[in-house]
Amino acid sequence: MTRSPERRDISELEALKALAHPRRQRILRELEAGGPATSASLARALALNTGATSYHLRELARHGFVEDFVDPDAHGRERWWRAVRRDLRFPPRSEQSQEVRPVVDELNRLAFAADLEEYRDAQNVTEAEGGMDVPYSRGTIHVTPAELTEFFEEYIALLNRYKRTGPLPAEARAMQTRFLAFPTPPGLRDKGESGATEPGTEPGATEP
């Protein structure tokens, strides 16, 4: 296991805009899952234009989201890139300005749409093709704002325990993990214990 990545709070509008771009989101996801790559190999993997991919990489690097990677086996003048390991934090919605809020909303919309598409794809990959069982859980908890913050930080700490950057075990796979919590809609909230369900007990769910 590796040490926890450095925390980075992002509130600058230009940095947020750099992230809220569909192609840059795809590039980052590819680098995070597949490791260092060149602009050419990224373009091939994502079916993008090489020149445009290089531009997006430079923009991501300008805001500190990717960085140069020195590959001792690189050929000629190949330029390799890797995702910067950071614990990225965005401003809470209650603290977002009128300019920042739509950018963060678009960033989240792109991320959620990609997550759903990739989750559906993962469900359809057979074991012979490298697929594996994908755990899924839904649940309801009753917490104060302070407790929710504590719950989130404990989740991040657990996630960081399993992040690796060095040699991987033979059976290790890149797994996408997500955390989402939101207030129960009116009409269902504040039912206390009588309306609560245990995590992982809803139809179709499995234990996390």
Side-chain angles (χ1 to χ4, degrees), residues 3-4 14 18 27 46 62 98 133 144 146 150 156 164 177 182 186 195:
R3 64 184 179 86
S4 299
E14 289 305 311
I27 288 170
L46 301 174
R62 187 163 70 90
Q98 292 184 348
D133 290 335
T144 65
E150 182 180 359
I156 295 297
R164 293 182 171 99
T177 60
F182 54 90

Side-chain angles (χ1 to χ4, degrees), residues 81-143:
W81 302 87
R82 68 179 175 186
V84 175
R85 291 189 71 244
R86 293 287 189 274
D87 177 6
L88 299 182
R89 304 293 182 98
F90 305 125
R93 191 167 182 82
S94 60
E95 298 177 11
Q96 295 171 10
S97 67
Q98 292 184 348
E99 294 78 16
V100 164
R101 179 168 293 182
V103 178
V104 175
D105 284 349
E106 176 65 5
L107 178 61
N108 289 333
R109 186 192 68 79
L110 290 171
F112 292 154
D115 288 343
L116 288 174
E117 181 179 356
E118 292 180 4
Y119 181 79
R120 286 194 298 265
D121 291 344
Q123 295 285 66
N124 294 326
V125 178
T126 66
E127 185 175 349
E129 296 171 323
M132 58 191 300
D133 290 335
V134 180
Y136 172 68
S137 175
R138 297 173 66 237
T140 301
I141 57 177
H142 293 78
V143 294

Side-chain angles (χ1 to χ4, degrees), residues 2 8 10 37 75 81 96 99 130 152 156 159 177-178 195 207-208:
T2 59
R8 178 183 174 187
I10 304 175
H75 300 290
W81 302 87
Q96 295 171 10
E99 294 78 16
F152 175 72
I156 295 297
L159 187 67
T177 60
R178 301 293 181 263
E207 289 295 331

Side-chain angles (χ1 to χ4, degrees), residues 142-170:
H142 293 78
V143 294
T144 65
E147 289 171 335
L148 181 59
T149 298
E150 182 180 359
F151 186 97
F152 175 72
E153 294 299 339
E154 290 181 5
Y155 165 80
I156 295 297
L158 177 63
L159 187 67
N160 286 331
R161 279 178 50 198
Y162 288 88
K163 288 191 174 181
R164 293 182 171 99
T165 56
L168 300 175

